[in-house]
Amino acid sequence: MELIILIFALVFALGIGLLVLLLMLPKSRDKVIGICQSALESTSQKEERKERIISLLEERQEITNTDVRETLGVSARSAVRYLDELEKEGRVEQVGATGHAVRYRLR
């Protein structure tokens, strides 16, 4: 019976228990809370940027990756990621296969 309790305590400490322990320590708690706040802010910022892309499309009908980079001030990879997400959500469609010929428009 003691062995079962010991195993359960070990599994708990390695999983949820570790987070609980971190939250109990003042410095660790602040770090965990900060990480959670950063994640929420990042998600909010991403959604705002995607909405700006939609607004840009409403104005121009078609845009390129370069348009997104210049408008949002983000890297080429970030622009692709935002456009890919909007495409997966069914909000935009890609016209052209690859390279400079690729444009995006509203669905």
Side-chain angles (χ1 to χ4, degrees):
M1 185 66 163
E2 289 178 20
L3 181 60
I4 293 172
I5 294 171
L6 181 61
I7 291 172
F8 178 76
L10 181 61
V11 169
F12 183 75
L14 291 175
I16 296 173
L18 183 58
L19 181 59
V20 171
L21 288 173
L22 286 173
L23 289 172
M24 291 174 68
L25 301 170
K27 288 184 181 180
S28 295
R29 179 178 52 235
D30 292 342
K31 287 180 184 177
V32 170
I33 291 170
I35 290 168
C36 292
Q37 286 174 334
S38 292
L40 287 173
E41 288 170 5
S42 295
T43 301
S44 174
Q45 183 180 48
K46 180 169 64 170
E47 292 306 315
E48 287 174 18
R49 287 178 172 173
K50 286 168 39 179
E51 288 306 315
R52 286 178 61 195
I53 293 170
I54 295 297
S55 295
L56 188 62
L57 278 163
E58 289 169 345
E59 292 172 17
R60 298 187 186 178
Q61 310 308 313
E62 283 190 349
I63 60 171
T64 64
N65 178 296
T66 302
D67 295 328
V68 173
R69 285 183 305 159
E70 290 174 356
T71 301
L72 301 179
V74 297
S75 68
R77 184 67 203 124
S78 291
V80 169
R81 190 171 45 251
Y82 293 138
L83 291 163
D84 284 347
E85 286 183 22
L86 287 167
E87 190 174 11
K88 286 177 186 170
E89 292 170 8
R91 298 176 73 188
V92 303
E93 64 181 341
Q94 178 177 320
V95 180
T98 59
H100 295 290
V102 174
R103 299 198 175 287
Y104 295 86
R105 62 181 172 210
L106 290 174
R107 276 209 168 168

